[in-house]
């Protein structure tokens, strides 16, 4: 095989690997990544995903996953019903660590969240969930899963 053909094969193989990593939720911002890292089912209306963190390292060290997305307000009861809530916090509190790899900023994250839930995590040691109002028909959801 000549060098140019080997180069094209390597690029194609690398592209296929990256595509698989995205589809299975190991890189990028996607619903698949949120499902894998936080262990939650997302409603059909979930959109505008943002994912941060180093959850892929959780088997080796302390790590976390931070995610945000938007969904229809009408899907909120079904989404919240899957949470194993330990307690509810009505105060304005930050659920994300100060480390830059976990920081997420969305336009709807101003003011005070509607609700903060401290939950048992299906995948990690703990799961924090904040619900934010966007408008009459939509809410924003901020998630943080921690592995200690």
């Amino acid at each position: 095989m000549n060098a140019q053909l080997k180069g094209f094969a390597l690029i194609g193989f690398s592209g296929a690997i990256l595509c698989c990593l995205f589809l299975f939720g190991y890189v990028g911002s996607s619903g698949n990544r949120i499902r894998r890292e936080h262990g939650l089912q997302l409603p059909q209306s979930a959109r505008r995903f943002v994912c941060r963190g180093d959850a892929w390292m959780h088997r080796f060290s302390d790590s976390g996953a931070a995610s945000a997305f938007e969904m229809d307000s009408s899907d909120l009861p079904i989404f919240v019903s899957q949470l194993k809530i330990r307690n509810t916090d009505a105060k304005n509190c930050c659920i994300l660590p100060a480390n830059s790899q976990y920081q997420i900023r969305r336009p709807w994250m101003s003011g005070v969240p509607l609700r903060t839930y401290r939950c048992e995590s299906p995948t990690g040691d703990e799961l924090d969930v904040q619900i934010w109002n966007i408008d009459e028909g939509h809410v924003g959801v901020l998630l943080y899963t921690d592995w200690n």
Side-chain angles (χ1 to χ4, degrees), residues 47-63:
R47 61 193 170 281
R48 296 189 179 133
F49 306 108
V50 178
C51 300
R52 302 272 188 274
D54 51 8
W56 58 273
M57 294 179 19
H58 76 269
R59 285 183 170 59
F60 309 110
S61 68
D62 184 18
S63 60

Side-chain angles (χ1 to χ4, degrees), residues 68-70 106-111 130 132-134 139-142:
F69 63 94
E70 299 174 12
R106 306 304 302 154
W108 39 263
M109 290 173 59
S110 61
Q130 278 186 334
W132 296 77
N133 187 50
I134 297 176
V139 293
V141 179
L142 180 64

Side-chain angles (χ1 to χ4, degrees), residues 38 40 65 67 69 71 76 79-80 82-85 87-91 93-96 113-122 126-132 140-145:
H38 302 285
L40 299 174
S67 302
F69 63 94
M71 69 180 186
L76 187 58
F79 178 76
V80 171
Q82 70 182 307
L83 302 176
K84 294 180 180 166
I85 300 169
N87 61 57
T88 302
D89 197 344
K91 300 181 285 193
C93 56
C94 182
I95 65 171
L96 300 176
L114 296 173
R115 189 73 65 197
T116 300
Y117 300 107
R118 308 289 183 182
C119 308
E120 293 179 25
S121 172
E126 55 190 59
L127 168 66
D128 293 332
V129 179
Q130 278 186 334
I131 309 299
W132 296 77
V141 179
L142 180 64
L143 306 169
Y144 180 70
T145 296

